[in-house]
Amino acid sequence: MKHNLKYFLPLVIVFFSACNNNKENEVPRQQNTLIFPQGNKNTTDNFKGEVWVAPLIEADSLNQTAVGNVTFDPGARSKWHTHPAGQILLVTDGVGYYQEKGQPKKILRKGDVIKCPPNIPHWHGASADTAFVQIAITGREKGPTVWLEAVTDEEYHSGDKD
Amino acid sequence: MKHNLKYFLPLVIVFFSACNNNKENEVPRQQNTLIFPQGNKNTTDNFKGEVWVAPLIEADSLNQTAVGNVTFDPGARSKWHTHPAGQILLVTDGVGYYQEKGQPKKILRKGDVIKCPPNIPHWHGASADTAFVQIAITGREKGPTVWLEAVTDEEYHSGDKD
């Protein structure tokens, strides 16, 4: 039995190498879903934690709908705010939260969509452990976003299971 | 040498199985980028070829922006048409075409965005060989899409290299 090792060992190495090479050629799941650019890091105090914003479409006089790609690092979130013409969110990756004032916090995942009515205070952000990527579609025809108070840790974690 | 086969063969089978199991667990690249549902096959004559439409957000009285996910099979395209309030396209997968009347045809790929002005005749669709997936963001506040004539094969192939 002992002398067979000299035959086994190269075989084991060859097949482990083959498996590892396949893994190197895989496209990582996360990288694969990043369709639009991450953009620049937010420098305003309208968000807590690291948030990245890439404007995709600017509002103009003929079409006042703006579109942006927003990436929240785990734990990052917006302040409470309202949009005078409302907002639509399309979730393209990760796990995040959305809450309207007086309503329970919703958990959002890739493929979920949200329509936030005009002038309703709300916030959105990533879950505590997972980043979150959303396309934000915002009408600018009735004025800019109105920023309100910060989301407290109690609000952020509301409804979380122990 | 011959008697060693009884040791080699099970090893070969074990390691090939291990490699194959890894492949089964991979998420295929194409499937991975399908964030939003494909929806239902178009049954109107506003398109040529197979086109799938999934309404994601309907217009309402408070926010008249509609959002839909549109998938064109290779070679499929819309008729020429206009939107009274304009349209925004976000390309999430594949390779497609976009053309405004009197302008050269543009080739669109994953991550590209288009802002089509109000009342400008245009068409969009997949390239001849590759499917095309777009998010269409359309204001309904000034009325529905106005459908025009079909895109001829000459128009569809305009600018293609021989």
Side-chain angles (χ1 to χ4, degrees):
Chain A
M1 180 66 196
K2 196 179 172 187
H3 70 285
N4 284 325
L5 271 178
K6 66 182 175 184
Y7 299 110
F8 286 168
L9 203 59
L11 258 180
V12 169
I13 291 169
V14 163
F15 285 112
F16 263 125
S17 302
C19 288
N20 282 336
N21 281 340
N22 276 340
K23 286 204 166 180
E24 281 170 16
N25 289 334
E26 285 174 27
V27 179
R29 187 168 190 148
Q30 173 69 11
Q31 180 184 317
N32 212 5
T33 60
L34 295 180
I35 298 169
F36 302 105
Q38 185 172 261
N40 295 318
K41 199 187 287 191
N42 166 69
T43 55
T44 73
D45 68 349
N46 298 325
F47 296 88
K48 177 177 180 176
E50 292 205 348
V51 177
W52 308 77
V53 180
L56 300 179
I57 296 282
E58 303 278 3
D60 63 33
S61 61
L62 294 177
N63 185 344
Q64 296 201 43
T65 302
V67 182
N69 194 39
V70 188
T71 304
F72 297 82
D73 277 2
R77 67 260 205 177
S78 72
K79 284 185 170 176
W80 287 96
H81 60 285
T82 64
H83 304 284
Q87 188 176 57
I88 291 164
L89 303 176
L90 312 177
V91 181
T92 59
D93 207 8
V95 182
Y97 299 147
Y98 169 82
Q99 186 175 23
E100 295 179 4
K101 206 78 173 180
Q103 300 295 321
K105 184 179 80 181
K106 287 184 183 175
I107 298 177
L108 301 181
R109 294 185 174 83
K110 182 175 168 177
D112 286 341
V113 299
I114 285 282
K115 188 173 202 174
C116 176
N119 301 316
I120 296 292
H122 67 282
W123 66 271
H124 27 128
S127 60
D129 302 325
T130 309
F132 177 64
V133 187
Q134 61 171 38
I135 295 168
I137 303 168
T138 315
R140 299 295 188 202
E141 65 272 23
K142 295 182 180 171
T145 303
V146 177
W147 292 99
L148 306 169
E149 70 277 12
V151 172
T152 65
D153 283 348
E154 193 181 354
E155 288 170 328
Y156 179 77
H157 289 291
S158 64
D160 288 356
K161 289 175 187 163
D162 293 330
Chain B
M1 181 68 196
K2 197 179 172 191
H3 69 287
N4 284 326
L5 272 177
K6 67 181 174 185
Y7 299 108
F8 286 166
L9 205 57
L11 258 180
V12 170
I13 291 169
V14 162
F15 285 111
F16 265 125
S17 301
C19 289
N20 282 336
N21 281 340
N22 276 341
K23 287 205 165 178
E24 279 170 16
N25 289 333
E26 286 173 28
V27 178
R29 185 165 192 150
Q30 175 69 11
Q31 181 184 317
N32 212 6
T33 60
L34 295 180
I35 298 170
F36 301 105
Q38 184 172 262
N40 295 319
K41 200 186 287 191
N42 166 68
T43 56
T44 74
D45 68 350
N46 298 325
F47 296 88
K48 177 176 179 176
E50 292 206 348
V51 177
W52 307 76
V53 180
L56 300 180
I57 296 282
E58 303 279 1
D60 64 34
S61 61
L62 295 177
N63 185 345
Q64 297 201 40
T65 301
V67 181
N69 194 40
V70 188
T71 304
F72 297 82
D73 276 2
R77 67 260 205 179
S78 72
K79 285 186 172 176
W80 289 96
H81 60 286
T82 64
H83 304 285
Q87 189 176 56
I88 291 164
L89 303 176
L90 312 177
V91 181
T92 58
D93 208 7
V95 182
Y97 300 146
Y98 169 82
Q99 186 175 25
E100 294 179 5
K101 206 79 176 179
Q103 300 295 320
K105 183 179 79 183
K106 288 184 184 174
I107 299 177
L108 301 181
R109 294 184 174 83
K110 182 175 167 176
D112 286 341
V113 299
I114 285 283
K115 189 174 202 174
C116 177
N119 301 316
I120 297 291
H122 66 282
W123 65 270
H124 26 128
S127 61
D129 302 324
T130 309
F132 177 64
V133 187
Q134 61 171 39
I135 295 168
I137 303 168
T138 315
R140 299 294 187 202
E141 64 272 25
K142 294 181 181 173
T145 303
V146 178
W147 292 100
L148 306 169
E149 70 278 12
V151 172
T152 66
D153 284 348
E154 193 180 353
E155 288 170 326
Y156 179 77
H157 289 291
S158 64
D160 288 354
K161 289 174 185 164
D162 292 332

